[in-house]
Amino acid sequence: MSIQVFGIAVSRGVAIGRAVLVASSRIDVAHYFVATEQVASEIARLHAARDVVSAELEGLKRDMPADAPHELAALLDVHQMILHDESLTGATQVWIDERHYNAEWALSAQLEVLARQFDDMEDAYLRERKADVEQVVERLLRQLSHQAGRAAGAMASAPPARDFGGADPLVLVANDVAPADMMQFKRSVFIGFVTDVGGRTSHTAIVARSMDIPAVVGAREASRLIRQDDLIVIDGDAGVVIVNPSDIVLEEYRFRQRQIVLERARLDRLRHTPAVTLDGHAVELLANIELPADAAAALEAGAVGVGLFRSEFLFMNREGVLPGEDEQFEAYRDAVVAMRGLPVTIRTVDIGADKPLERMSAQEHRNEHGLNPALGLRAIRWSLSEPSMFRQQLRAILRASAYGKVRLLIPMVAQLAEVRAIMEAVSRVRQQLDDTAVSYGRVEVGAMIEIPAAALMIERFLRHFDFVSVGTNDLIQYTLAIDRADQAVAHLYDPWHPAVLQLLHQTIKSANAHGRGVSVCGEMAGDPAFTELLLGMGLRSFSMHPAQISSIKQRVLRADTRQLAAAVAMVLDAADPAAAAAELAASRGAR
Ligand code: PEP
Ligand code: MG
């Protein structure tokens, strides 16, 4: 039966594929793909575990005291039967063979299938047998974890690209995905994803956009309603997931997919066209990246630099061992070299809130820490509380500046005392490098404006910084008191709120008036609905996911900033700024 699940649209496009439910079972296991040549040995691993568990059950039965209740022996026989039943190990083998799942993942996928079958049973006695299947699976998983091979823990390392053809593409369905795990998925085979929790600018959604694959988050019940291997359509524009669509619906979506491909090809032709408005203003379109390897996509998309390198992603998935100065330096240098002389803005770590160091989802983090981590020790607050780590990162960034144009960006600054501490740390590090004759280039220091306090005292901040970059994702979160990762309040997360627009306008105007660089690097910069308004406010530098550059460029090429500037006040005063801006784009600025 076809059903629809509604959520929040966070990454555009249409994906059609088979559902892969990750970590939806009670048992947390590693999820990775095995290469074709490893399939046989993975199946052998499963069989070996089955044989050991079988011997274990035999042993338990044999050693049972004579006066033990006979139900116990009968139960061990049932477990033995389950273990050898085709629907468990046989079907698990099929997941490994056809899907190339690792044995643990295949087992938990099959457990999911069986558990649902048991849940649907009328007979209460049979329904309760689900617990026996779970116990047998747990024994098998325990056994597998004792064998040599991959460590337990979701996505222990990057899955290799799948090297088998023919099968349908795969889409990921999960309750939540930690940002650290999203980085692994980034290099994997999924062509779309759906999560139960999350908001438009939760970091999971941001990584999905950077992957340029359709995604729906905040779909509440999705991981319960969707079953392993269901055929699903993700409509990333409407925020809808269609499970087991009818042929007509499927055909409709396949048609949409073809149109999207054509539209992208058309936009791609703008890649190397300079972004200049109709009235001759050059506009800088920069890329947001998470890892040095993303620099290639940035260049490919026609970015004229990196406006935001979220360095915290280098610090994730480290099992507690943070990257040292040299390792960080190499990563920054690689990004700088890859950008071939174009500027690279490296942001110091923004750890905390929904980007914990450990592999944890935002929800788990909240549960664990209780308090609201978005208001806690995050970003520069964390860095200043770890001064030697902070200096280590600053040294690594400065050293990379010997290889190209580097800008240093500090997240979440709100206090003048923080500004002083940052400047002291930067001068101390420069001095250390001078003393040891390590070369570095001229590095501008900038602040992210993402806390209302910083936007309100922008004039004072501009005395200390060379440039500012507005992080609208957090600016909206903190101005409106809406947790950006919480789908329960996602409907109130409103980039069009007049208070947000005013802070944004004020920041851009002040920076321009003081001759300081100003950029927007939050998600608003890559959203075409805001392009004309931001141009009208005087913004000439936008930083976004590489995949968004062409569509923003198209709007820039059609814009006349004189007309847009004259209409900004009208949008800011409008009862419905979104509608007013759409009208402005359609009738005046963009033709
Ligand atoms: C922002 O807050 O807008 C931003 C760009 O930073 P991040 O999304 O990484 O918090
Ligand atoms: Mg931010």
Side-chain angles (χ1 to χ4, degrees), residues 413-425:
V413 194
Q415 323 265 349
L416 287 170
E418 287 167 345
V419 177
R420 275 192 293 278
I422 293 160
M423 296 308 168
E424 264 168 37

Side-chain angles (χ1 to χ4, degrees), residues 263-306:
E263 168 68 9
R264 290 207 172 157
R266 202 173 56 73
L267 282 175
D268 269 358
R269 290 202 286 273
L270 296 178
R271 251 183 336 198
H272 301 298
T273 308
V276 179
T277 61
L278 288 176
D279 55 325
H281 286 282
V283 176
E284 191 180 46
L285 300 183
L286 304 161
N288 290 355
I289 67 170
E290 275 105 36
L291 292 173
D294 298 336
L299 280 182
E300 178 69 22
V304 296
V306 169

Side-chain angles (χ1 to χ4, degrees), residues 29 52 86 113 123 157 171 178 275-276 282 312 317 426 495 545 547 568 576:
V29 299
V52 174
E86 263 308 284
V113 171
D123 185 305
S157 68
V171 295
V276 179
E312 55 274 12
N317 275 340
V426 173
H545 303 296
V568 166
D576 182 350

Side-chain angles (χ1 to χ4, degrees), residues 23-29 31 108 111 134 137-138 141:
S24 54
S25 74
R26 292 137 293 268
I27 303 155
D28 187 23
V29 299
H31 299 84
S108 62
L111 172 62
E134 285 172 350
V137 168
E138 268 178 52
L141 288 172

Side-chain angles (χ1 to χ4, degrees), residues 256-401:
R256 284 252 317 265
Q257 262 187 328
R258 287 193 291 274
Q259 284 189 313
I260 292 169
V261 170
L262 289 176
E263 168 68 9
R264 290 207 172 157
R266 202 173 56 73
L267 282 175
D268 269 358
R269 290 202 286 273
L270 296 178
R271 251 183 336 198
H272 301 298
T273 308
V276 179
T277 61
L278 288 176
D279 55 325
H281 286 282
V283 176
E284 191 180 46
L285 300 183
L286 304 161
N288 290 355
I289 67 170
E290 275 105 36
L291 292 173
D294 298 336
L299 280 182
E300 178 69 22
V304 296
V306 169
L308 175 64
F309 177 172
R310 290 183 162 98
S311 69
E312 55 274 12
F313 285 91
L314 296 174
F315 289 66
M316 294 177 181
N317 275 340
R318 306 285 309 204
E319 317 290 340
V321 186
L322 300 184
E325 179 181 325
D326 286 344
E327 187 182 339
Q328 286 188 58
F329 157 69
E330 282 164 24
Y332 306 143
R333 182 204 53 202
D334 288 353
V336 170
V337 170
M339 289 307 291
R340 302 181 193 153
L342 295 171
V344 178
T345 312
I346 304 173
R347 179 174 76 178
T348 57
V349 283
D350 185 356
I351 283 300
D354 69 331
K355 287 179 289 187
L357 279 177
E358 322 88 271
R359 178 183 284 108
M360 256 185 211
S361 68
Q363 195 56 48
E364 285 166 338
H365 192 260
R366 231 180 301 276
N367 293 345
E368 175 122 325
H369 296 275
L371 307 171
N372 185 341
L375 301 180
L377 194 66
R378 101 167 246 215
I380 188 60
R381 303 170 182 182
W382 187 77
S383 294
L384 291 176
S385 73
E386 299 277 344
S388 69
M389 206 248 34
F390 184 45
R391 286 196 298 273
Q392 202 177 53
Q393 179 167 37
L394 293 177
R395 267 195 306 272
I397 294 173
L398 287 182
R399 283 170 58 193
S401 71

Side-chain angles (χ1 to χ4, degrees), residues 41 95 132 145 222 246 331 377 386 398 407 413 462:
S41 62
W95 288 110
D132 294 313
S145 76
S246 65
L377 194 66
E386 299 277 344
L398 287 182
R407 294 193 290 207
V413 194
L462 290 169

Side-chain angles (χ1 to χ4, degrees), residues 201 203 206 288 308 310 312-313 347 350 354-355 378 448 450 470-475 484 521-523:
T201 55
H203 283 94
I206 288 177
N288 290 355
L308 175 64
R310 290 183 162 98
E312 55 274 12
F313 285 91
R347 179 174 76 178
D350 185 356
D354 69 331
K355 287 179 289 187
R378 101 167 246 215
M448 297 242 349
E450 48 186 350
V470 189
T472 49
N473 307 335
D474 278 315
L475 188 63
R484 62 195 265 193
C521 62
E523 297 297 302

